[in-house]
Amino acid sequence: MTKFHLKLIREIVEKYHKGINYNHRAGNNNPSRLIERHFPSVYGPAGKNRVRRCVVCTANDKRRESRYECKSCNVGLCVDPCFKIHHTELNY
């Protein structure tokens, strides 16, 4: 029953998300980031010190780089607290 509910919620969100007003500037207007499972991963190949800009910090006018990303969303994120914020708050 839980799988059915999650599938139904995902379909409703994907169908009607265009009517939602998004206030953040990160450019990721896909609300499925709030209901799917996402995991942090190190950005770039092992042994290389590559970084990405954190989309949550950028949306809040801060310049912060992180070695971590969400591959599912294809965005750079600070592990704490930005990863949680990006995946739990619609407007950050």
Side-chain angles (χ1 to χ4, degrees):
M1 190 79 158
T2 302
K3 286 184 180 183
F4 169 76
H5 287 132
L6 288 174
K7 184 179 179 195
L8 182 62
I9 291 168
R10 187 174 289 117
E11 289 175 1
I12 290 170
V13 168
E14 288 175 357
K15 183 174 182 178
Y16 295 104
H17 80 276
K18 290 172 181 57
I20 297 173
N21 182 18
Y22 297 93
N23 293 325
H24 63 85
R25 292 168 262 159
N28 188 353
N29 291 342
N30 186 355
S32 65
R33 68 182 163 84
L34 304 174
I35 58 174
E36 294 176 350
R37 295 182 67 173
H38 297 260
F39 301 97
S41 62
V42 176
Y43 176 64
K48 302 272 184 174
N49 193 16
R50 296 208 169 156
V51 293
R52 293 184 76 172
R53 277 187 143 182
C54 173
V55 296
V56 175
C57 290
T58 300
N60 291 296
D61 296 324
K62 297 177 188 172
R63 183 182 171 103
R64 190 157 175 209
E65 295 177 336
S66 174
R67 294 189 59 219
Y68 298 93
E69 69 175 344
C70 177
K71 285 189 179 185
S72 300
C73 298
N74 191 29
V75 295
L77 293 161
C78 301
V79 173
D80 187 40
C82 298
F83 193 90
K84 179 181 177 184
I85 291 169
H86 180 72
H87 293 103
T88 59
E89 296 181 20
L90 184 60
N91 301 312
Y92 46 81

